[in-house]
Amino acid sequence: MSVEFTRRVDWPMIDPAQVVYYPVYWDLAHRFFEESWEDICGISYPTIINKHRLGFPAVSTSSTHHSPLRYGDIVHCQIRVSKVGNSSTEWSYSFADQTGRLVWTGEVTTVCVNLDTFETTEIPSSFRDALRTYSEN
């Protein structure tokens, strides 16, 4: 199971070569990551951070650029939860343009931390159970 999001490529995302600047893919991925919590767990990421005092920083990342995005393109993001552990989650991202052409894939491992101590902590069971419904494992 996956969650999907869409947004247009705006002018500030473009580099002098007239394509999306490579760090922007990670910025988009994180924005979609934050949005995914409402669909997957029924809670906003700001609520997780501010009320529950939990964060999910990336501890491992990798990506592949398949084809460029350009100004005005529509990026379609598909996020899958690849694996859910007691304190970590593996996320897989796939970006396609408006024609369905694959443009970028990424993998991120996040770890649940207590934001007051920044120490690793278990993912709350309600979040973990919801994440597992989207998991491939």
Side-chain angles (χ1 to χ4, degrees):
M1 189 182 300
S2 64
V3 291
E4 297 183 16
F5 303 98
T6 302
R7 76 161 292 170
R8 186 187 69 233
V9 173
D10 299 323
W11 182 255
M13 299 172 166
I14 304 302
D15 69 10
Q18 302 299 306
V19 297
V20 169
Y21 185 47
Y22 76 93
V24 170
Y25 290 91
W26 284 113
D27 180 64
L28 285 168
H30 186 78
R31 290 170 191 268
F32 293 136
F33 164 83
E34 287 194 17
E35 287 184 52
S36 75
W37 286 90
E38 290 187 54
D39 288 352
I40 296 171
C41 294
I43 187 168
S44 73
Y45 200 64
T47 299
I48 293 170
I49 288 174
N50 296 321
K51 182 179 177 191
H52 296 276
R53 300 299 300 146
L54 296 173
F56 292 84
V59 296
S60 177
T61 61
S62 65
S63 67
T64 302
H65 297 261
H66 301 276
S67 187
L69 282 169
R70 300 181 187 285
Y71 178 56
D73 281 348
I74 304 297
V75 60
H76 298 275
C77 172
Q78 187 176 68
I79 300 175
R80 289 187 178 84
V81 178
S82 304
K83 184 178 177 186
V84 181
N86 289 329
S87 61
S88 66
T89 307
E90 293 178 13
W91 307 79
S92 296
Y93 297 80
S94 178
F95 290 4
D97 68 9
Q98 65 276 4
T99 69
R101 178 182 51 146
L102 182 65
V103 297
W104 185 85
T105 52
E107 292 77 35
V108 178
T109 301
T110 59
V111 172
C112 184
V113 298
N114 175 317
L115 289 177
D116 296 322
T117 64
F118 222 74
E119 292 189 17
T120 301
T121 188
E122 283 195 5
I123 300 168
S125 60
S126 61
F127 296 173
R128 193 170 49 244
D129 293 344
L131 287 163
R132 284 192 173 133
T133 65
Y134 282 80
S135 177
E136 298 169 354
N137 64 334

